[in-house]
Amino acid sequence: MSDRDEARPRTPAPAKGSRAPMRFTVVLRTPARAAEPLFAQAPKAWQRMLPYAVVGIFVVSLLPTTIAVLTNDYKAGGGWAGALGVAQTVPLLLAVTRPLPAWALVLVADTVGAVVLAHADEVAGHAWPWTPMCIVGYLVLMVCLGLRESIRTLIGVWLVTGAVGVVLGFFEPDGVTTTVALLFVLSGSFLAVTGALRGIGDAQQRIAEQESISEAERARRTLLEERARIARELHDVVAHHMSVITVQADSAPYRLPGMPEPVQEEFAAIAASARESLGEMRRLLTVLRSDGTNGGIGGNGDGGAPGGAGELGPQPGIGRIQQLVEATVRAGQPVELSLAAGAERAAPPAVDLSAYRIVQEALANVVRHAPGAGTRVSVTHDAEEVLVLVVNGPAARDAVVEPGSPGTGHGLVGMQERVRLTGGTLDTGPLPDGGFRVAARLPLAEPTNDPTNEPTNDPTEEAS
């Protein structure tokens, strides 16, 4: 048997070949806050530092290169070359956290540089208005913008880039190699690619968040369904006692002749209150039935669907575990039963029903997860508690087990809720040989504390 995690929904794991791209796209998702650096949500420190390192390398490389090219090739003069080199490259450091302001600064610096170079001595025969260093730095900005800003902002940046290039084209010097179209095409391509990658990362994040919410809701729904099922079954137990109280109170004047009038009135009031309580319980049961079936005193029979005809039978108990084991054996599952004499008589109704349901759920899990495995069922009791123990070995070698079988989600949840109801304890877990163990201690005395207020491994808390 597996770890019986059917009570906790699982998300199918992606194929090995697709895990690396998926992790990469998640790293590229948009930062949550405006001043949060790129890759700030990456799982590893080196990934979070990567944008700073890349931008720093570009700045260190482009700054001296820009100054040298403007001075030696364009003959722009040392002062202008130094000022333009700093203005066009240093703002790139801001692109990691605030790429849009960095783009505005660089665009202004590149435009001023184009105007200055238009009057340079050796501009003819060189690239204008965007020098090769301007194009490289500008594309770095496009990458940062594409990973950060919205599609509308990216389109605006691209159109502004083209518009500035068109305006500068009216002042184009003679003999230059125009780079307006080159930067326009390259910037659009970089924005499109990085924006698409960023969008994939955002989509992956939203899918992961939605799956987390769905798992929590499924776990909570499973828990509520199991509690409603237990409530329907306990209705029978409580209704039986209320019926006995009603009959005894109604028949008291006949069984005890000569009873004073005030006493008869008290018994009549008790019977009326009991009948009213039974009516309220029937209405409550109508609400709890999942299919809206009206019914009086009824519960969940042996395998009957909630609210169906199977609920009309009496509630099972420890005395019917023998029949349950025999049915499991007939289904091809080898099961050994050790049932202590008198356990059914010693257990109160809630414990009697809970013990049967725990064995039923445990055997259902064995059939589902470990077909053909040798199984031992033991139900013993002493003066204080009933001990239910179900232990199975690994599945038979020739057995066919459906991989990733999710189950119904009610196995562990049902056991936990029933044990909490009686104030007992539940111990489940895998065995070293590949089998599984379920051990429940159900006290015979009434619990001193409200079990619903005790801490428990609530699957809804784990999933939320």
Side-chain angles (χ1 to χ4, degrees):
M1 194 185 310
S2 67
D3 289 350
R4 309 284 173 82
D5 284 338
E6 71 260 35
R8 300 180 62 182
R10 298 177 180 176
T11 302
K16 292 183 178 180
S18 63
R19 290 177 182 174
M22 288 181 63
R23 286 196 296 266
F24 178 69
T25 55
V26 171
V27 169
L28 295 178
R29 65 182 180 268
T30 305
R33 292 178 292 274
E36 190 174 1
L38 293 173
F39 294 14
Q41 301 177 27
K44 298 181 180 179
W46 70 267
Q47 293 175 340
R48 295 190 292 271
M49 296 302 299
L50 184 61
Y52 293 100
V54 172
V55 172
I57 291 173
F58 275 100
V59 171
V60 171
S61 303
L62 289 175
L63 179 58
T65 304
T66 301
I67 296 175
V69 170
L70 295 182
T71 302
N72 300 326
D73 295 350
Y74 288 83
K75 304 299 182 181
W80 278 111
L84 291 176
V86 172
Q88 292 175 352
T89 57
V90 172
L92 293 178
L93 296 173
L94 186 62
V96 177
T97 55
R98 298 182 182 275
L100 199 58
W103 165 77
L105 293 175
V106 169
L107 182 61
V108 171
D110 289 349
T111 304
V112 172
V115 174
V116 171
L117 293 181
H119 302 86
D121 296 337
E122 299 292 339
V123 67
H126 294 91
W128 190 92
W130 317 123
T131 64
M133 295 73 65
C134 290
I135 294 177
V136 173
Y138 204 83
L139 295 181
V140 173
L141 274 175
M142 296 301 100
V143 171
C144 296
L145 282 168
L147 297 178
R148 186 62 180 260
E149 302 299 333
S150 64
I151 299 298
R152 179 180 299 180
T153 301
L154 299 183
I155 294 176
V157 167
W158 184 53
L159 294 178
V160 170
T161 301
V164 172
V166 171
V167 172
L168 289 175
F170 291 106
F171 308 95
E172 179 179 323
D174 296 332
V176 298
T177 303
T178 180
T179 54
V180 173
L182 176 63
L183 182 60
F184 186 69
V185 172
L186 288 179
S187 61
S189 301
F190 274 65
L191 289 175
V193 172
T194 53
L197 288 176
R198 191 277 318 278
I200 294 175
D202 290 346
Q204 293 288 349
Q205 177 67 10
R206 288 193 295 269
I207 291 173
E209 292 174 354
Q210 187 60 42
E211 288 178 348
S212 177
I213 295 173
S214 299
E215 290 176 0
E217 290 299 326
R218 179 179 174 184
R220 186 178 299 277
R221 183 174 64 253
T222 298
L223 181 64
L224 295 178
E225 288 175 355
E226 188 61 25
R227 286 178 176 175
R229 177 189 177 198
I230 294 174
R232 289 194 300 268
E233 294 178 350
L234 287 180
H235 168 272
D236 285 0
V237 176
V238 179
H240 168 73
H241 293 294
M242 295 299 297
S243 299
V244 172
I245 293 173
T246 303
V247 172
Q248 289 179 334
D250 281 334
S251 62
Y254 305 99
R255 292 183 291 102
L256 303 173
M259 186 180 299
E261 185 69 21
V263 177
Q264 294 183 18
E265 294 177 355
E266 187 69 22
F267 275 111
I270 293 174
S273 298
R275 281 191 293 270
E276 183 178 354
S277 298
L278 278 173
E280 294 293 338
M281 290 181 61
R282 291 189 180 97
R283 285 190 286 272
L284 174 62
L285 183 64
T286 302
V287 174
L288 291 175
R289 290 181 187 275
S290 59
D291 60 354
T293 304
N294 287 329
I297 301 173
N300 196 19
D302 282 342
E311 294 188 353
L312 300 179
Q315 291 291 357
I318 296 176
R320 296 181 60 179
I321 292 180
Q322 176 71 39
Q323 302 176 18
L324 178 63
V325 170
E326 291 175 354
T328 307
V329 172
R330 288 195 299 270
Q333 190 75 29
V335 182
E336 298 178 2
L337 174 63
S338 174
L339 185 60
E344 182 179 9
R345 292 189 299 271
V351 172
D352 190 33
L353 174 61
S354 297
Y356 177 89
R357 291 302 187 197
I358 290 173
V359 173
Q360 184 183 45
E361 295 285 2
L363 290 179
N365 282 340
V366 173
V367 174
R368 182 183 302 116
H369 298 287
T375 307
R376 300 191 309 276
V377 177
S378 173
V379 181
T380 59
H381 74 96
D382 53 25
E384 298 181 352
E385 63 185 11
V386 173
L387 174 61
V388 178
L389 182 64
V390 181
V391 180
N392 68 272
R397 294 185 177 181
D398 57 348
V400 178
V401 182
E402 295 183 6
S405 177
T408 63
H410 290 258
L412 290 181
V413 173
M415 294 180 192
Q416 290 169 352
E417 290 300 302
R418 293 181 187 281
V419 169
R420 290 178 61 195
L421 172 71
T422 60
T425 58
L426 178 67
D427 179 24
T428 62
L431 299 176
D433 62 352
F436 202 84
R437 174 177 180 267
V438 174
R441 295 182 179 274
L442 309 176
L444 298 177
E446 292 292 332
T448 56
N449 297 323
D450 184 358
T452 61
N453 293 329
E454 297 178 358
T456 182
N457 294 328
D458 194 329
T460 60
E461 296 174 0
E462 297 179 3
S464 57

